[in-house]
Structure formats: structure tokens, C-alpha cells
Amino acid sequence: MKNIIIRTELLCKSFVSDGEVNNVIKNLDLDIYEGDFTIIMGSSGSGKSTLLYSISGLDEITSGKVFFENQNISSLRGKKMASLRKEKIGFVFQGINLIPNLNVYENILSPTYKTRRDRKSIEANISNLLDRMELSSHKNKFPNQMSGGQKQKVAICRALINNPKVLYADEPTGSLNSSQGEQVLDIFTDIHKNGQSIVMVTHDLKAALRGNRILYLKDGRIDGDLKLDEYDEENTKEREDMVYHFLKSKGW
Ligand SMILES: Nc1ncnc2c1ncn2[C@@H]1O[C@H](COP(=O)(O)OP(=O)(O)O)[C@@H](O)[C@H]1O
Ligand SMILES: [Mg+2]
């Protein structure tokens, strides 16, 4: 039995613009399991990013509840929410969003400012991450001196520096070429195998194949939920067919 790490109850998220209400997420009941690599797919504008922002606490929800490790986080505000975010979640943004005037090392370190974490363990963590992502020799470089793939790896290090319970990623391979994308996906696979819970939005079939569960979002609701645990990882053909047919049946 897997533990539920995130649960939503009747989650709604709406935007109001020009006096019009846009109900993006509609009465969503969803469980996300600890240790899973959960993929969120759906057509452009279906609300994938909105869902990710809502369940991670990055954005306020309109109504309903979001539980993180059984704690209702939907009513947390200000400092309490900020500290939960810093201590428990890591987020890789769609646009990478590194701080241009900080070098690689400082970018990765930036979420640790104002945390109560011990400096020694942070430093050990950062050198371990730099090592794993083959970035050690780049740590003094600035973002504009690096390739897209390298920058995305820095963004992943930054998201992991506080050992988050859940790593969220919004189309992390969206702006990368295919070999850079593969490299970044290998990192996600690697950290998932080490027990990290991941929730990733993607448009990319190859990226989706890395997950063990695929949620398909349509009109603010979950229209499909494919669990891949029982499909042998080595048997990639069977897995690929499964995912391909699932997405096809959803009109992807
Ligand atoms: N900050 C915002 N203000 C107003 N509307 C928004 C905002 N963010 C998203 N939306 C709207 O919500 C819908 C879903 O957007 P989004 O979650 O970005 O979709 P996806 O990530 O699936 O492409 C779109 O109609 C978009 O215009
Ligand atoms: Mg999006």
C-alpha cells in the first residue's frame, strides 16, 4: 500500500479576467502517492500548470482543500506557507528562472537562505548534487554562460537543495533539445529510483514514459489515470504501446 502524500478534495481554481470567470480546475478529488513519479498531461490550456501551482501551494486555491502529508495546507498563509514551501517542496519552473546575477553555486544555494538548516549539511548536499549532475566544474559560471540543458540541471539542483518531500516540475524538457532533454529525464529517473516523489507536467511522450502514473487532464477534470507499476520497466515496448494507446484514446 502506498501512502498518500497529496490529497485534494473538491479543489477549484478559477481566474477572473474582464469580469469573466474562468473555472480552470473543477471540483477535483485527487490522491497522489508517495514515491510515485506522477505525470500530468493534457492539451495546452487544460490547466496543467494551474493544477501544479494549486497542489504545491505556490498559488492560492479558490475553494476546496489540499492536504500535504495529511495537513490541510489550503488555509495556510504568509510565513507558514512560505516555510512549508521551503522545507517540503521543490519546484522546477517552465521558464527555468535562474537568477541572472548569481552564479551556479549561489543559484542553487538561494532557497536555503533563511532556513534553519545546518550549513555543513547544505554544503555537503550541494557538492553531492553538483557531482551527480556533472556541474562541479561549472559552479562559478553565470546562467548566461551555460547551455539550456545545463541551466535546467542547475534549476533541478536548486529545487532539490532542501531535500523536498515532493519535486514538482512544469514541462522541464520543454525548452531543451532532445539530447539535453534525455539527460534531464535521466536525472528525474535516477532521483525517482532513489525514492523521491515527483509530479511532472509534460507534453512529451518520452518524458511521460519515465513516470509510473499518468493523469490526463481535460476541462479541469481528470479524464484518465494510467498506472504503469505492473508494466515491467525493462519491457519498454509494452510500456510505450500502453502509454501511446492511452493518450490516443484521450485525443492527445
Ligand atoms: N494567472 C492567470 N490569470 C488568468 N488566467 C490564467 C492564469 N493562469 C492560467 N490562466 C488560464 O487558465 C487556463 C489554464 O492555463 P494553464 O494552467 O496555464 O494551462 P496548461 O498549463 O495546461 O497549458 C487558461 O485558460 C489560462 O488562460
Ligand atoms: Mg502550462
Side-chain angles (χ1 to χ4, degrees):
M1 266 297 274
K2 290 179 182 178
N3 290 327
I4 293 169
I5 190 152
I6 301 157
R7 153 167 272 171
T8 72
E9 285 177 10
L10 297 174
L11 169 65
C12 294
K13 176 69 183 177
S14 314
F15 296 103
V16 180
S17 47
D18 300 332
E20 297 242 340
V21 181
N22 181 4
N23 298 309
V24 178
I25 305 295
K26 296 164 188 156
N27 291 324
L28 183 71
D29 290 329
L30 174 65
D31 290 338
I32 288 177
Y33 302 98
E34 190 167 21
D36 266 8
F37 188 168
T38 305
I39 306 288
I40 301 173
M41 294 190 88
S43 57
S44 184
S46 58
K48 302 180 296 296
S49 297
T50 302
L51 178 60
L52 210 60
Y53 275 63
S54 298
I55 61 178
S56 62
L58 242 57
D59 202 358
E60 269 182 38
I61 64 174
T62 305
S63 63
K65 288 178 184 158
V66 177
F67 295 90
F68 185 87
E69 298 183 304
N70 298 318
Q71 183 192 5
N72 182 355
I73 62 165
S74 22
S75 49
L76 293 182
R77 298 278 179 274
K79 270 197 174 156
K80 279 197 174 146
M81 183 52 107
S83 87
L84 177 107
R85 281 206 300 254
K86 276 205 164 157
E87 308 277 332
K88 306 270 179 149
I89 80 151
F91 207 104
V92 177
F93 295 93
Q94 191 161 5
I96 304 184
N97 281 352
L98 296 180
I99 305 167
N101 57 340
L102 298 183
N103 68 25
V104 165
Y105 195 87
E106 294 160 339
N107 261 288
I108 297 172
L109 216 54
S110 61
T112 69
Y113 300 142
K114 294 194 188 159
T115 58
R116 282 161 295 163
R117 275 172 213 268
D118 161 54
R119 286 287 121 187
K120 277 239 157 62
S121 80
I122 290 170
E123 274 164 30
N125 206 2
I126 197 167
S127 38
N128 184 1
L129 285 167
L130 286 168
D131 227 31
R132 239 163 83 192
M133 311 265 187
E134 294 171 353
L135 287 169
S136 299
S137 59
H138 302 288
K139 67 180 182 190
N140 297 319
K141 285 191 180 166
F142 288 87
N144 67 1
Q145 297 172 302
M146 307 185 78
S147 71
Q150 287 172 327
K151 281 192 276 197
Q152 191 56 285
K153 290 201 288 183
V154 175
I156 295 169
C157 290
R158 180 178 61 179
L160 291 173
I161 186 68
N162 286 331
N163 297 322
K165 284 282 179 157
V166 181
L167 176 68
Y168 298 90
D170 194 356
E171 303 202 29
T173 57
S175 60
L176 305 180
N177 68 31
S178 64
S179 81
Q180 291 172 339
E182 286 286 305
Q183 220 189 350
V184 164
L185 291 173
D186 286 345
I187 289 161
F188 279 93
T189 296
D190 180 41
I191 59 179
H192 172 229
K193 284 190 175 150
N194 278 306
Q196 177 73 52
S197 307
I198 305 174
V199 183
M200 177 173 86
V201 168
T202 187
H203 259 325
D204 175 7
L205 179 63
K206 277 208 180 116
L209 285 166
R210 304 300 184 110
N212 64 311
R213 182 186 183 193
I214 303 177
L215 299 169
Y216 197 86
L217 200 61
K218 189 178 179 185
D219 298 329
R221 295 191 172 88
I222 301 295
D223 184 44
D225 184 349
L226 178 70
K227 296 191 173 78
L228 291 161
D229 287 327
E230 64 266 43
Y231 289 88
D232 188 355
E233 259 184 73
E234 308 308 317
N235 194 352
T236 50
K237 183 77 184 93
E238 193 179 356
R239 202 180 162 85
E240 257 179 65
D241 286 348
M242 205 47 216
V243 172
Y244 182 77
H245 288 295
F246 167 75
L247 291 174
K248 200 113 189 139
S249 76
K250 296 298 155 196
W252 185 74

